[in-house]
Amino acid sequence: MAESEWDVSVELRDDYYLVVIVLNKPITLQDAVAIWKKASEQLSELGMEHGFRKPLIISGRAPTWLYSYLTHKWAHVFPVIANFDPKQDGAVIVASHHPDYIEMDLLKVRL
C-alpha cells in the first residue's frame, strides 16, 4: 500500500482551532490547494456549530509558502491566525483582526 503524500487534520480545542499538517513527501502546488480544501471542509463542519470566534493555529512541518498560502486563505475567516513553533513553546500570532491579540505575540499552548 502506497504512503499518502500528505494528510491534514482539524480539531476544536477549548480556546482555539488546530490544523495539523503531515507531509510524507515533497508536495506540489496542487497539493497545497487540496490541503486547504480538506482542512476548510473540516473547519466548516466544526464552525457550523461553534462559529469562527477562536484563533486558528497551524502546526506541522511544511514549506513556508504553504503556511503563507493558508494564512492568506483564512486571515479573514478567523479573528487570529498563529503558527505553532515548538522552539517558542507556543504559537506565534501572524495575523490578527482582534484587539486582544497582537501580531508577533505568543499564544502559550501545548500540542
Side-chain angles (χ1 to χ4, degrees):
M1 183 171 174
E3 181 180 36
S4 175
E5 292 184 17
W6 59 267
D7 192 24
V8 62
S9 61
V10 174
E11 62 182 270
L12 175 60
R13 300 218 173 157
D14 289 338
D15 298 326
Y16 56 91
Y17 292 91
L18 176 63
V19 173
V20 178
I21 301 163
V22 176
L23 303 181
N24 299 312
K25 300 177 183 176
I27 61 168
T28 66
L29 301 178
Q30 293 78 16
D31 290 330
V33 174
I35 289 168
W36 168 71
K37 285 181 180 179
K38 182 176 178 182
S40 291
E41 289 171 5
Q42 293 176 31
L43 286 164
S44 289
E45 291 172 12
L46 293 174
M48 295 294 191
E49 182 178 340
H50 301 283
F52 294 124
R53 295 181 216 104
K54 298 178 180 189
L56 174 70
I57 297 175
I58 305 170
S59 180
R61 295 180 65 113
T64 304
W65 54 263
L66 178 59
Y67 271 80
S68 298
Y69 173 70
L70 296 176
T71 298
H72 172 75
K73 296 299 274 186
W74 288 322
H76 295 285
V77 177
F78 292 89
V80 176
I81 307 286
N83 297 335
F84 183 75
D85 184 348
K87 293 178 184 173
Q88 297 294 328
D89 199 28
V92 179
I93 298 171
V94 295
S96 176
H97 299 287
H98 192 289
D100 293 340
Y101 296 93
I102 309 295
E103 291 170 358
M104 301 316 292
D105 272 357
L106 191 66
L107 295 175
K108 288 289 192 178
V109 294
R110 292 230 180 249
L111 302 187

